[in-house]
Amino acid sequence: MKKKTLILISLLGLGIFFAIYNFNRYPKKVVAQILYTVDDRVFAFVDKNIQDFGFADIFRKVKESGDYGIRLSLEDNKNDKLNIINFQSPNKKESYYLERREVDHKIKTYGEKIVNSDVYLYRRDISDLPLYIDRNTMVNLARDSKVMFDLGYDITNKKLFLPPVSLSEKNTELKKYVKKEWAGTIRRTKVKKLSGRSYEVQVRSKDLKDLFAKIEDFYYEEDYFPYTYLADLLRREFAKISRDLDKRDQIIFYIYTDKDRNLLRLKSDDNKYAIAIKNYMELKLPDTRIYIEPEENEKLRTLKGKINNRSFRMSYNPDSKILIYHDGKTLINARFYNFVRSKKFKLIADIDGGEIKKLNLNFYTIPEKINREKNYIEVLKLKEEDWRKLIGDEKDEK
């Protein structure tokens, strides 16, 4: 009896082993694993060709922890200015965003600070003091108040004033949000292994459109920088892709990998779509093409290529920390300061031929401490007449 039991257990173990082995070699799963690592491959390419900075390490840190700090200043050719300060630390549930615009010598300031459930809104057009909102009581208090409506916020948005999360956690949220559309796309997608390192993937156009629409919805509901900017970018690019997909029932992709299953090239059968990450990098979408390759240039780190039909060249001198970019229309002279590999840098750039003429950027992988405000106005607890007086005074000043 014991011998039979041992044989059965052994057979069951072998069955499980081969099931896992075959599942890991299942073409759909292999292709999914290949595509999941594209962002890491992009940063590895940049890191390899523009050394010193540790871009891949920076991306890994920000992706895993979500901690970063940005100070950005821009000045355009009309002498209008934009200043942005953005710090966040998801583990501490803290974020701070402040945007200051100067247009025709008129200054507008907007921002918010989130520390756990405490929210402080910076609205200098209303008050010099921050406007305080407790997210735990926000929905109930807003039912008896017009404050949120007057400020332009939708309290039905479940992501409103949420503390930040890391990129890894955001990706997990995205996968859950598009689970139905992703599962349907995978189920109806046909994957054929052509050789040891190549695959053919047939996807229904409708499935891709539904998936893109769901991804766009996910980022549209996001309430904080940089996802608000990402949402606008996705909306523009997805609109171009959607118009192209309307013209076809399906799209066929060919995927080529190296021996370690790293993506080398993905392209559609009509070559309208392509991603290549080899000793060069290429991205093709409808109406968009970006091609980048390294160039031997003595001690300089040089990249050249094309953005659509415009050729460019960018060189970085690791000794002087000077970077020069030109594409026939735009010339950028930039220099890096306070540089600590994989941790922080400061960039000052002068730009000719573009809408922006000056750019200053400070970047940190360790953000500054974000503290609660000591003085503020608890706006959702204001009486109606006090709130009307507050915004009425602001209107009178205008």
Side-chain angles (χ1 to χ4, degrees), residues 315-330:
S315 293
Y316 171 69
N317 187 321
D319 295 330
S320 63
K321 301 292 189 291
I322 291 176
L323 181 146
I324 297 176
Y325 168 96
H326 61 92
D327 60 17
K329 179 182 178 182
T330 303

Side-chain angles (χ1 to χ4, degrees), residues 181-391:
E181 289 74 16
W182 176 253
T185 301
I186 292 296
R187 186 172 63 254
R188 289 181 289 269
T189 294
K190 298 178 181 178
V191 179
K192 185 196 304 183
K193 188 173 183 179
L194 301 178
S195 69
R197 300 182 186 178
S198 63
Y199 301 84
E200 179 187 273
V201 182
Q202 297 181 22
V203 191
R204 293 199 322 168
S205 296
K206 184 180 182 305
D207 286 336
L208 280 181
K209 283 192 64 176
D210 291 344
L211 183 60
F212 288 154
K214 193 72 172 180
I215 293 172
E216 187 178 316
D217 286 344
F218 175 82
Y219 285 108
Y220 181 77
E221 291 183 356
E222 294 299 324
D223 184 52
Y224 63 91
F225 180 89
Y227 294 108
T228 48
Y229 285 78
L230 179 60
D232 290 337
L233 175 63
L234 290 177
R235 194 173 296 112
R236 291 195 298 270
E237 291 302 322
F238 284 175
K240 298 176 187 176
I241 294 172
S242 182
R243 286 194 293 270
D244 178 66
L245 293 177
D246 283 336
K247 302 173 185 177
R248 60 175 92 200
D249 293 326
Q250 72 170 9
I251 183 167
I252 299 175
F253 295 101
Y254 295 98
I255 296 177
Y256 306 91
T257 75
D258 62 16
K259 62 179 182 178
D260 298 318
R261 291 180 180 170
N262 292 315
L263 177 70
L264 293 178
R265 184 170 176 80
L266 177 152
K267 72 181 188 70
S268 61
D269 55 346
D270 58 3
N271 210 30
K272 280 190 175 181
Y273 300 84
I275 299 174
I277 308 173
K278 301 182 181 180
N279 56 341
Y280 66 89
M281 188 165 69
E282 181 183 34
L283 172 66
K284 288 182 71 175
L285 297 170
D287 303 324
T288 301
R289 180 178 183 256
I290 300 172
Y291 178 85
I292 304 171
E293 66 177 352
E295 178 184 63
E296 291 293 331
N297 193 358
E298 297 180 352
K299 65 178 181 180
L300 300 180
R301 312 271 165 74
T302 300
L303 293 173
K304 65 178 183 178
K306 280 191 173 185
I307 300 175
N308 294 329
N309 293 321
R310 184 179 297 173
S311 298
F312 75 88
R313 178 174 275 100
M314 181 177 72
S315 293
Y316 171 69
N317 187 321
D319 295 330
S320 63
K321 301 292 189 291
I322 291 176
L323 181 146
I324 297 176
Y325 168 96
H326 61 92
D327 60 17
K329 179 182 178 182
T330 303
L331 173 64
I332 301 175
N333 284 283
R335 186 167 184 175
F336 291 86
Y337 300 86
N338 303 332
F339 173 72
V340 178
R341 179 181 170 84
S342 303
K343 289 186 177 181
K344 67 176 183 178
F345 62 82
K346 178 179 180 179
L347 169 69
I348 298 178
D350 293 311
I351 306 170
D352 293 323
E355 294 181 7
I356 305 299
K357 68 177 182 180
K358 289 184 179 296
L359 180 151
N360 288 4
L361 171 66
N362 286 272
F363 179 84
Y364 319 83
T365 54
I366 302 175
E368 294 179 6
K369 172 65 179 173
I370 301 171
N371 297 310
R372 287 178 169 85
E373 295 285 353
K374 294 181 179 179
N375 301 307
Y376 51 82
I377 299 173
E378 199 164 352
V379 288
L380 289 181
K381 290 188 177 181
L382 286 178
K383 293 181 180 179
E384 179 70 17
E385 56 267 27
D386 293 330
W387 171 246
R388 288 297 159 198
K389 183 179 179 181
L390 190 64
I391 63 174

